[in-house]
Amino acid sequence: MIEVAVYDTKSYDREYLGTAAGAEQVAWRFHDFRLSAETASAAKGAQAVCVFVNDHADRACLESLAALDVKLIALRCAGHNNVDLAAARALGLAVVRVPAYSPHAVAEHTVGLLLTLNRKIHRAYNRVRELNFSLNGLVGFDIRGKTVGIIGTGKIGRITAQIFRGFEARVLTYDPFPSSDWAKTLGIEYTDMDSLLAQSDIISLHVPLMPDTLHLLNTQTIGRTKRGVFIVNTSRGKLISTTALIAALKSGHVGGVALDVYEEEEGIFFQDLSGQVLLDDELSHLLMFPNVLVTSHQAFLTHEALSEIARVTTRNILTMATGEPFLEGTTL
Ligand code: NAD
């Protein structure tokens, strides 16, 4: 039996990991709390830890894990900005992830958020339940003919762009590594960042969080966008300066914002805080705007994605035990 300490687990993690192929060879130790230097000791006796997007594997945490003889950090997500990879390498800890579980899940949620925000479906749902059948204040716009700017054309950005082409939108993209043949086939145009910002009616972010993408949307870059622009972020919260976003919403420059991720989501998203006082002033402020829609990092949450996350994570853990090479694309 391979012992694995699984941090920040919810009911769906337990269900899908517990029933994945090969799961009977793993002794899953599910913890509700997140991994950090303070909680690393809960991995005592485990050969691997399994973590998600808001676990915090910094150097101090990794040193504690290495001292406990943990061999593997298995991320049950694609993004890895929360793990100090250099420290892991130096300490001899292998780090694996699930590179692509369902890019469709995230792309479909992205478009779902935009449609909900634009057509005010969330507000209509509440109204009708109160027997308020009035349409006042629910006017949206057609996506057909609008310019949609997709920043980052990796796995998720490309699918999102394709879906928007299905709406007959003009799709502009920016990526330092363009997929030119793909774009040509679909009638999608690559451009530079400034042109994308200046021309897009809707901007959707699909880039990883790295030092050079931190606050990709800030006071200056938001200032270069069209007045009334809709912004969607299902990638990482820190890609947008929340302070700059709130200022642009207050001035009316930004027409709508849909977020599945938030700059300071750690410790808030994935938790049931109903009945408590929300201590994050910027999130409280964002939630008060009628033209802001927030979901709690749920874009990945489909049956297909959870199954694939559990399958690849379990396979990686079993692979560690046999010493065979990890699944292609999973090692960091
Ligand atoms: P990917 O690695 O396939 O693609 C990322 C793309 O971004 C690459 O093509 C890269 O060249 C490009 N890029 C890098 N820097 C750029 C820059 N400065 N400007 C423009 N493009 C740049 O990644 P992916 O699987 O498509 O994931 C995209 C994002 O979605 C990541 O941030 C990931 O963390 C996030 N994500 C969120 C959820 C969720 O549940 N909300 C789930 C999975 C992934």
Side-chain angles (χ1 to χ4, degrees):
M1 274 294 197
I2 306 158
E3 292 223 11
V4 181
V6 194
Y7 286 85
D8 201 13
T9 54
K10 306 290 177 232
S11 57
Y12 44 84
D13 296 309
R14 293 164 203 234
E15 180 187 336
Y16 282 85
L17 285 172
T19 55
E24 66 286 351
Q25 297 171 60
V26 181
W28 303 104
R29 282 167 25 193
F30 294 113
H31 299 303
D32 295 337
F33 49 85
R34 281 174 283 135
L35 175 67
S36 65
E38 289 71 40
T39 62
S41 58
K44 191 168 182 224
Q47 289 126 283
V49 296
C50 179
V51 299
F52 197 48
V53 293
N54 288 325
D55 291 288
H56 212 60
D58 57 10
R59 180 174 283 276
C61 171
L62 295 170
E63 281 171 355
S64 302
L65 292 175
L68 292 171
D69 221 17
V70 169
K71 300 284 181 231
L72 179 76
I73 316 286
L75 287 152
R76 50 183 197 279
C77 54
H80 49 82
N81 51 285
N82 53 336
V83 179
D84 184 337
L85 292 179
R89 220 162 282 138
L91 291 160
L93 285 161
V95 184
V96 290
R97 63 170 178 158
V98 186
Y101 30 91
S102 173
H104 291 273
V106 183
E108 289 170 15
H109 191 75
T110 303
V111 179
L113 279 179
L114 190 267
L115 288 175
T116 306
L117 178 69
N118 167 31
R119 303 303 302 269
K120 301 169 177 65
I121 295 168
H122 54 310
R123 300 181 66 195
Y125 171 82
N126 284 327
R127 268 191 202 186
V128 168
R129 287 172 68 91
E130 295 287 328
L131 306 188
N132 175 356
F133 299 102
S134 146
L135 299 182
N136 291 331
L138 298 185
V139 179
F141 57 80
D142 285 12
I143 294 172
R144 179 177 186 273
K146 295 293 179 299
T147 300
V148 180
I150 302 286
I151 303 181
T153 54
K155 293 175 286 296
I156 297 168
R158 285 203 303 275
I159 296 167
T160 309
Q162 286 166 214
I163 298 173
F164 278 118
R165 281 299 286 150
F167 283 100
E168 298 182 33
R170 175 187 178 215
V171 176
L172 284 181
T173 53
Y174 169 70
D175 194 303
F177 302 98
S179 306
S180 305
D181 291 344
W182 161 82
K184 202 180 276 174
T185 317
L186 289 157
I188 288 167
E189 303 161 54
Y190 272 101
T191 184
D192 57 89
M193 184 70 150
D194 276 349
S195 307
L196 184 148
L197 292 175
Q199 294 181 48
S200 300
D201 301 293
I202 298 159
I203 293 175
S204 192
L205 302 181
H206 299 285
V207 300
L209 177 64
M210 301 178 297
D212 71 320
T213 58
L214 176 73
H215 288 181
L216 185 77
L217 292 187
N218 53 43
T219 306
Q220 285 74 37
T221 48
I222 292 174
R224 282 183 229 139
T225 61
K226 257 186 175 179
R227 191 170 174 82
V229 67
F230 271 48
I231 295 172
V232 190
N233 186 9
T234 56
S235 286
R236 282 293 180 267
K238 288 185 199 299
L239 296 174
I240 303 182
S241 156
T242 312
T243 308
L245 191 64
I246 289 173
L249 279 159
K250 283 172 79 175
S251 72
H253 183 84
V254 167
V257 174
L259 303 175
D260 186 52
V261 287
Y262 166 63
E263 196 171 0
E264 301 300 334
E265 69 180 54
E266 207 177 309
I268 300 176
F269 281 17
F270 309 120
Q271 317 295 325
D272 179 359
L273 301 182
S274 52
Q276 294 188 34
V277 173
L278 183 58
L279 297 176
D280 185 313
D281 291 347
E282 288 202 314
L283 181 58
S284 303
H285 201 155
L286 276 177
L287 294 174
M288 293 315 294
F289 289 101
N291 50 348
V292 172
L293 179 63
V294 178
T295 52
S296 177
H297 208 136
Q298 74 171 78
F300 73 99
L301 199 67
T302 65
H303 168 69
E304 289 77 5
L306 289 171
S307 305
E308 185 62 5
I309 289 170
R311 184 188 75 81
V312 174
T313 302
T314 308
R315 173 84 186 271
N316 276 337
I317 288 164
L318 296 175
T319 302
M320 170 202 70
T322 59
E324 286 166 30
F326 288 109
L327 282 176
E328 201 188 326
T330 60
T331 43
L332 289 166

